[in-house]
Amino acid sequence: MNPIVDLPEPLILGLHALGYIAREPGKCFTTQQVAAGLETPEPHLSKVLQRLNKSELIKSVRGPGGGYKLNCVPKETPLRVVFEVLGGAFTPRGCGMDGCKGKPCFIGDMLDELTMAFIRYLESRTLEDFIKYYDEKIQVEIEISVITPSLGQTHPNFAHLKKKS
């Protein structure tokens, strides 16, 4: 079974590379240094670093002692921006079955709600939080509200099914 969230490999590699560079914001890192630090092959990393450079999250520095260095303020850089630079926009897409397009679909609505919760989480966290995770081992918690009928809660879409006393 696939996980609910399946992130593209360039996104994961880019996040790790950006985190690696951001932990020492004034220092330049070569592609070779980042690849060695992350224990990953250079060719693919090079393409990901170019994407981060193009987005201006990092900048390339030419000449001796050059490489890549941080070009953003971690506490002002929402993780959603970083995720979307590396992996594209996160948008609710339903379940994906052709037969469900334009019709109510429980699975699609559930996946869309999970996507929205993930977007809210990414908007509430910054690159600084990402760095703190590694430095201070802060806990990752994504809050998803759940309506539980066994606790007497009624989902608005099913209110008409509630028994009248």
Side-chain angles (χ1 to χ4, degrees):
M1 182 156 92
N2 290 331
I4 294 292
V5 178
D6 189 16
L7 302 176
E9 194 268 339
L11 169 59
I12 294 169
L13 181 57
L15 285 167
H16 284 291
L18 185 59
Y20 186 88
I21 293 168
R23 291 178 77 189
E24 295 185 62
K27 183 176 176 179
C28 277
F29 293 92
T30 65
T31 303
Q32 295 82 8
Q33 289 171 316
V34 177
L38 298 177
E39 300 178 25
T40 191
E42 280 181 51
H44 191 55
L45 175 64
S46 179
K47 292 177 186 176
V48 172
L49 290 173
Q50 289 171 14
R51 189 182 300 178
L52 289 168
N53 183 56
K54 186 177 179 182
S55 72
E56 300 183 354
L57 290 169
I58 62 174
K59 68 178 176 180
S60 63
V61 178
R62 297 188 183 274
Y68 292 98
K69 67 187 284 183
L70 193 65
N71 192 42
C72 63
V73 179
K75 70 180 179 183
E76 296 174 5
T77 306
L79 280 182
R80 181 176 182 179
V81 170
V82 177
F83 270 65
E84 290 186 344
V85 160
L86 293 164
F90 283 93
T91 55
R93 295 187 182 121
C95 78
M97 282 188 57
D98 288 338
C100 291
K101 290 182 180 163
K103 298 177 185 173
C105 174
F106 176 80
I107 295 167
D109 287 349
M110 180 179 57
L111 293 173
D112 288 350
E113 182 60 27
L114 289 170
T115 299
M116 294 307 299
F118 191 58
I119 289 170
R120 286 189 299 272
Y121 179 80
L122 293 176
E123 288 173 344
S124 73
R125 299 294 187 273
T126 64
L127 181 57
E128 182 177 60
D129 296 318
F130 183 74
I131 297 164
K132 281 183 181 179
Y133 172 83
Y134 290 101
D135 292 341
E136 302 170 20
K137 305 293 187 249
I138 62 169
Q139 190 169 351
V140 175
E141 293 180 345
I142 299 176
E143 186 68 33
I144 299 175
S145 63
V146 177
I147 296 173
T148 311
S150 62
L151 298 177
Q153 299 169 329
T154 305
H155 191 282
N157 292 347
F158 302 107
H160 68 283
L161 300 176
K162 189 175 179 181
K163 289 184 180 180
K164 297 181 182 183
S165 306

